[in-house]
Amino acid sequence: MLRNRIFALTFLTFAAAAISTGIGTTSSGNIFTLLFSNLSPEQSEILTSIRLPRIATALFAGFLIGIAGATLQRAFANPLAEPTLLGTTAAASLGSVVAILFGASSTNPLVTLPFAFLLALVISLFTVRLAGRINLRSTNLIIVGVALAAFINGAIA
């Protein structure tokens, strides 16, 4: 039963990705004509340089967000737990802002993502270490994480 649901969701995800490559100025189904190389050079360039990388990035990001949410739900034994509760999302936003403010992203746009990841990792480790040092329960850890997120969002604003 679960295997059938996973298969159906995977199929629908890839079907939506294939359809979304044709949305815009070109006709639908270009991903299939790309496989048989019947596209003009401009259409092929748009698909391979712009649309397919964006779709792959969106799928990968969604996959990682799902894993992060599932991990936190399991760790806190709470189906409503999410990465926002520990300040991870706010820290990643602050990392992006820092990269943009110091001009690192203007020289190389690929620098923004590692900045965001590193600051999110540092803040998450700080929150977990703080909880281990004070022996916080999971509910108190969530309160500390939300307060930390509010502080970071204030710094961004």
Side-chain angles (χ1 to χ4, degrees):
M1 179 79 171
L2 180 63
R3 187 181 305 168
N4 291 340
R5 285 185 184 174
I6 292 173
F7 177 74
L9 286 174
T10 304
F11 176 76
L12 289 173
T13 301
F14 284 111
I19 290 170
S20 67
T21 60
I23 295 175
T25 59
T26 60
S27 62
S28 291
N30 282 339
I31 188 71
F32 302 113
T33 55
L34 176 67
L35 296 174
F36 301 110
S37 65
N38 290 332
L39 291 177
S40 68
E42 294 85 14
Q43 290 175 326
S44 177
E45 181 68 24
I46 288 171
L47 280 174
T48 57
S49 298
I50 298 172
R51 293 186 179 186
L52 290 178
R54 285 183 182 179
I55 290 170
T57 303
L59 288 173
F60 187 64
F63 175 74
L64 293 178
I65 289 170
I67 288 178
T71 303
L72 285 174
Q73 288 172 359
R74 179 71 175 163
F76 288 116
N78 184 349
L80 298 176
E82 59 178 341
T84 306
L85 295 177
L86 292 181
T88 306
T89 307
S93 299
L94 182 63
S96 297
V97 168
V98 167
I100 291 168
L101 283 178
F102 288 125
S105 64
S106 63
T107 58
N108 187 0
L110 298 176
V111 173
T112 307
L113 186 61
F115 266 78
F117 176 76
L118 286 176
L119 200 54
L121 183 66
V122 166
I123 293 298
S124 296
L125 290 175
F126 173 74
T127 307
V128 171
R129 187 164 192 118
L130 178 68
R133 200 173 271 175
I134 305 174
N135 292 328
L136 292 178
R137 295 183 317 209
S138 64
T139 55
N140 292 341
L141 177 63
I142 290 173
I143 292 171
V144 169
V146 169
L148 190 60
F151 177 75
I152 292 171
N153 284 329
I156 291 171

